[in-house]
């Protein structure tokens, strides 16, 4: 037992005496054993680190650099090691969330809805979001399709399961259709690539992602076929259910008091309220009703030909 542990343990003077019998010696040894065990458990708990999870796509090194100062600051203030664990896509992030492997998660809306509703994560702060974020479906400009129902029996490119704009909202909007095939792209840029080359008739992403990546495919031009009318809420900072309640409160206080430059780099808003996820969760539940097995076991509907967007379970 360390000196620090000894200082935190009070032994009444009346009990701390030289034993004068075999019974007293055994009693004292038992007391010392129990005190030592408590000290070891205390030290072990203090040494247990936290894992901060984020989705980084292919920007692993950039993500590490972005969160380096913040994780160091949080680690110093809490007194435990805070490790950053980037996930290269939403599917991998879902696996970590299901296992409660991420103590903290800086989660975009789709992942956040699943984590809150299905895996008991608690939202504590809002991430910096894009104002009026919308999910869209795009086609090539020379494609004659003008209505969603015309995508019947057509191949569709989606983002990874967990993406609000690339996966949940488009499936929700296409409910009732049978598609020739669903293809899951690793990034929004790949969604546009598949639409540009004709591999997919339409693709799902956000407006901002369309504007960011469309220039890479010039002279091919894209047209927005459908814009979801609902604004996608900003992402949130989540805390796992296996994080101690007192530690959770400590994390919340530290993150609210962090220097503004560190909060900006990490992409969250101190002293903010978590956004309303009611509608987002309802969208996720409907999509889960369409692909229950794929969601539960971490698989994807990539091989479904055709892909029928109809309920398989009641919600």
């Amino acid at each position: 037992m360390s000196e620090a542990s000894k200082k935190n343990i009070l032994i009444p003077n009346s009990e701390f005496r030289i034993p004068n019998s075999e019974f007293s010696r055994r009693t004292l040894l038992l007391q010392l054993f129990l005190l030592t065990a408590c000290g070891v458990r205390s030290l072990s708990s203090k040494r247990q680190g936290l894992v901060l999870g984020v989705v980084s796509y292919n920007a692993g090194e950039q993500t590490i650099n972005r969160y380096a100062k913040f994780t160091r600051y949080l680690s110093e203030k809490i007194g435990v090691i805070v490790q950053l664990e980037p996930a290269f896509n939403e599917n991998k992030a879902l696996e970590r969330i299901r296992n409660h492997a991420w103590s903290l998660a800086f989660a975009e809306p789709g992942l956040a809805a699943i984590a809150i509703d299905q895996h008991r994560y608690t939202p504590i702060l809002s991430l910096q979001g894009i104002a009026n974020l919308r999910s869209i479906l795009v086609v090539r400009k020379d494609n004659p399709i003008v209505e969603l129902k015309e995508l019947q029996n057509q191949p569709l490119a989606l983002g990874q399961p967990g993406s609000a704009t690339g996966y949940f909202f488009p499936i929700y909007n296409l409910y009732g259709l049978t598609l020739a095939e669903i293809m899951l792209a690793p990034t929004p840029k790949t969604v546009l690539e598949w639409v540009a080359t004709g591999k997919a008739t339409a693709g799902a992403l956000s407006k901002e992602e369309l504007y960011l990546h469309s220039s890479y495919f010039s002279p091919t031009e894209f047209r927005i076929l459908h814009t979801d009318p609902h604004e996608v809420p900003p992402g949130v900072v989540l805390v796992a259910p296996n994080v101690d309640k007192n530690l959770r409160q400590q994390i919340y206080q530290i993150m609210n008091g962090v220097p503004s430059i560190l909060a900006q780099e990490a992409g969250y808003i101190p002293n903010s309220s978590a956004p309303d996820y009611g509608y987002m969760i309802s969208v996720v539940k409907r999509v889960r009703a369409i692909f229950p097995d794929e969601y539960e076991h971490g698989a994807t509907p990539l091989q479904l030909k055709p892909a029928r967007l109809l309920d398989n379970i009641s919600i």
Side-chain angles (χ1 to χ4, degrees), residues 158 167-175 182 287 290-291 301 309:
L158 297 180
Y167 186 84
F168 287 116
F169 276 95
I171 292 179
Y172 185 85
N173 290 322
L174 294 171
Y175 179 81
I182 285 180
V287 174
I290 298 171
F291 297 123
L309 305 187

Side-chain angles (χ1 to χ4, degrees), residues 270-312:
N271 300 297
S272 58
S273 299
D276 181 3
Y277 264 73
Y279 181 73
M280 185 75 238
I281 289 173
S282 71
V283 170
V284 170
K285 285 185 174 180
R286 170 50 65 93
V287 174
R288 284 197 63 210
I290 298 171
F291 297 123
D293 294 335
E294 287 78 6
Y295 172 83
E296 291 296 341
H297 302 295
T300 66
L302 180 62
Q303 303 299 324
L304 295 181
K305 299 180 184 181
R308 296 180 175 86
L309 305 187
L310 297 169
D311 287 1
N312 288 297

Side-chain angles (χ1 to χ4, degrees), residues 107-123:
E108 293 305 317
L111 285 175
I114 296 172
I116 294 168
D117 186 54
Q118 301 298 322
H119 303 293
R120 299 182 293 117
Y121 274 74
T122 302

Side-chain angles (χ1 to χ4, degrees), residues 192-262:
L192 292 177
E193 177 186 337
W194 290 350
V195 174
T197 59
K199 184 176 181 179
T201 300
L205 67 170
S206 71
K207 277 188 178 180
E208 286 67 27
E209 290 163 343
L210 172 63
Y211 299 147
L212 177 64
H213 299 299
S214 59
S215 61
Y216 289 97
F217 303 97
S218 181
T220 300
E221 295 185 46
F222 301 96
R223 174 170 56 86
I224 297 177
L225 174 65
H226 176 78
T227 301
D228 190 279
H230 295 90
E231 183 175 348
V232 179
V236 289
V237 179
L238 300 171
V239 183
N242 54 358
V243 175
D244 177 77
K245 183 179 179 180
N246 292 331
L247 180 56
R248 183 180 306 184
Q249 184 63 28
Q250 187 181 5
I251 291 170
Y252 178 74
Q253 292 173 349
I254 292 171
M255 290 187 68
N256 279 327
V258 72
S260 58
I261 184 64
L262 293 187

Side-chain angles (χ1 to χ4, degrees), residues 2-216:
S2 68
E3 293 298 323
S5 298
K6 290 177 182 177
K7 292 178 181 178
N8 293 329
I9 299 174
L10 177 64
I11 303 177
N13 291 332
S14 60
E15 294 180 9
F16 189 70
R17 59 181 182 272
I18 298 175
N20 54 15
S21 68
E22 183 64 24
F23 175 78
S24 298
R25 281 195 293 271
R26 290 180 179 178
T27 301
L28 180 59
L29 288 174
L30 178 60
Q31 289 174 340
L32 291 175
F33 172 79
L34 292 174
L35 291 173
T36 302
C38 290
V40 170
R41 282 197 298 271
S42 175
L43 288 174
S44 176
S45 176
K46 290 181 179 180
R47 288 174 180 170
Q48 185 176 3
L50 300 174
V51 178
L52 169 61
V54 296
V55 176
S56 66
Y57 295 117
N58 294 321
E61 185 174 350
Q62 294 178 15
T63 301
I64 291 172
N65 293 335
R66 175 183 175 183
Y67 289 95
K69 293 179 182 178
F70 171 74
T71 53
R72 184 162 58 248
Y73 178 90
L74 187 60
S75 179
E76 291 173 354
K77 290 294 183 179
I78 298 177
V80 301
I81 296 174
V82 179
Q83 295 179 309
L84 179 69
E85 183 180 282
F88 295 118
N89 56 49
E90 288 89 349
N91 207 29
K92 182 63 177 177
L94 281 175
E95 177 187 322
R96 304 300 286 160
I97 287 172
R98 271 194 296 269
N99 296 328
H100 294 161
W102 284 355
S103 316
L104 294 171
F106 281 41
E108 293 305 317
L111 285 175
I114 296 172
I116 294 168
D117 186 54
Q118 301 298 322
H119 303 293
R120 299 182 293 117
Y121 274 74
T122 302
I124 59 172
L125 295 167
S126 177
L127 296 182
Q128 297 168 3
I130 298 174
N132 200 30
L133 179 64
R134 293 288 196 274
S135 173
I136 62 173
L137 284 163
V138 300
V139 295
R140 285 176 56 116
K141 192 172 183 178
D142 57 7
N143 191 309
I145 289 178
V146 294
E147 295 183 4
L148 289 181
K149 64 183 181 181
E150 294 179 78
L151 291 176
Q152 178 81 5
N153 297 320
Q154 298 293 322
L156 178 70
L158 297 180
Q160 291 290 308
S163 169
T165 57
Y167 186 84
F168 287 116
F169 276 95
I171 292 179
Y172 185 85
N173 290 322
L174 294 171
Y175 179 81
L177 293 183
T178 295
L179 303 172
E181 181 182 2
I182 285 180
M183 297 174 287
L184 299 182
T187 66
K189 186 177 179 181
T190 307
V191 168
L192 292 177
E193 177 186 337
W194 290 350
V195 174
T197 59
K199 184 176 181 179
T201 300
L205 67 170
S206 71
K207 277 188 178 180
E208 286 67 27
E209 290 163 343
L210 172 63
Y211 299 147
L212 177 64
H213 299 299
S214 59
S215 61
Y216 289 97

